[in-house]
Amino acid sequence: MDVASVSELFEHGLVSDPDAVVEIRESIGDPHSGPGGRSYRVCLAGGLAFEVLLERGLDIGALWCRGLPVAWRSPLRAAGPDTAAAGGWVGRFTGGMLATCGLDNIGRARDTYGQHGTHHQTRAVDVVVRRTTAPAGVVISGTVPSASVFGRQLLLHREISSTAGRAAVTVRDTIVNEGITAEPVSLLYHLNFGAPFLTPGVRVRAPAERHIPRDDDSDWQVFPQPLDAVGEVVWEHAGFDGQSAGVVVHSPAVGMYAEVIWDVAALPRCFQWIYPARRGWALAVEPANAPLFGPDRELPHAGAPVLAPGGRIEAGFTLALHDEKPPR
């Protein structure tokens, strides 16, 4: 069932209730959704099923493709902003398909900013949910502030869209500086893959000129066997050719591959997080606009671009899943 055939069901009057092909449910008390536990659960005929977390900056929680779980889920099922304070951002990380990092910091804590910033712990406001019929799908939009009383006044306006008949979801963000001072804007999309999609032997393809390790020169292209030691490895993929970049994560065990596509002008960097420990077991693809490590981290504002008053930045990505083997 493709996008056109699902839309034809509406055109010919064969759908009496839109829930038959585009089901949307509001949930309250979801332990992964943060304080308040509000989320929307979307299920699209011939497409994806996923959660949108209102209490976590309109990030995406669990995601399934044709009944197969794709997203990594943290062992920490419920965490509010004060939970495991000693563990910082990681101590509060409940996982999910998308965790947006920024807008005040990405990477390790620096100055007065905590690890990976505040977006993922911030509630979205002015949330609007609507179904579409041409094509059949869903659009969820809202605003996430990055602001303080005597400081920055940034607003991130997010739109999440997905259609029936196609296993893909697109996130589009517009960041606006509504304050009176220029402000740095760090942005990283933490896209997390877990089992059963992620198994030993999963392959990553990143068509970049350079592949730079933060920790060691472990193989970033093939996910290893599970380890009995806690640890992570981070790589940067740099030097993408063209206007758009795409990283492929191929899971031969399930006969599926994921493709993450984004605009290189907005997000010139991409990081890869590898966490192969048992009970951890995660892989992340992370398009970003600022450095996580290396000498560029010592630049003003840790290398983040600066947005003038009244200025705006547009960024985002598409995550698409395919059944066939990825092209070479």
Side-chain angles (χ1 to χ4, degrees), residues 49-240:
F50 57 91
E51 301 171 319
V52 176
L53 310 178
L54 278 65
E55 312 292 342
R56 297 197 182 279
L58 283 187
D59 280 341
I60 298 174
L63 182 141
W64 300 263
C65 180
R66 300 179 181 90
L68 180 83
V70 176
W72 177 67
R73 307 295 289 271
S74 164
L76 186 66
R77 285 189 54 82
D82 298 323
T83 302
W89 190 88
V90 173
R92 302 189 300 271
F93 188 30
T94 58
M97 192 71 247
L98 169 65
T100 303
C101 302
L103 300 174
D104 40 18
N105 184 45
I106 63 172
R108 292 170 176 165
R110 62 178 183 86
D111 302 330
T112 60
Y113 303 115
Q115 183 177 0
H116 281 326
T118 55
H119 180 100
H120 188 62
Q121 307 297 333
T122 303
R123 173 178 297 171
V125 298
D126 298 334
V127 177
V128 176
V129 181
R130 62 184 177 91
R131 289 184 178 90
T132 60
T133 57
V138 63
V139 177
I140 300 177
S141 61
T143 298
V144 183
S146 177
S148 62
V149 174
F150 299 112
R152 53 199 286 123
Q153 298 291 326
L154 301 179
L155 294 179
L156 181 145
H157 302 289
R158 171 162 292 179
E159 180 181 279
I160 301 171
S161 60
S162 187
T163 58
R166 181 170 182 248
V169 59
T170 296
V171 174
R172 295 186 180 90
D173 288 336
T174 300
I175 302 164
V176 181
N177 185 353
E178 296 199 344
I180 59 175
T181 58
E183 296 292 342
V185 179
S186 301
L187 179 63
L188 180 147
Y189 296 113
H190 206 298
L191 290 150
N192 306 287
F193 298 90
F197 180 88
L198 183 65
T199 56
V202 158
R203 300 189 67 87
V204 177
R205 190 181 70 206
E209 294 178 356
R210 301 180 304 282
H211 309 283
I212 306 160
R214 185 195 70 181
D215 309 286
D216 58 44
D217 58 356
S218 301
D219 187 0
W220 60 268
Q221 298 179 81
V222 181
F223 206 77
Q225 296 291 324
L227 304 177
D228 292 317
V230 175
E232 63 179 7
V233 178
V234 177
W235 285 77
E236 178 177 1
H237 306 302
F240 289 93

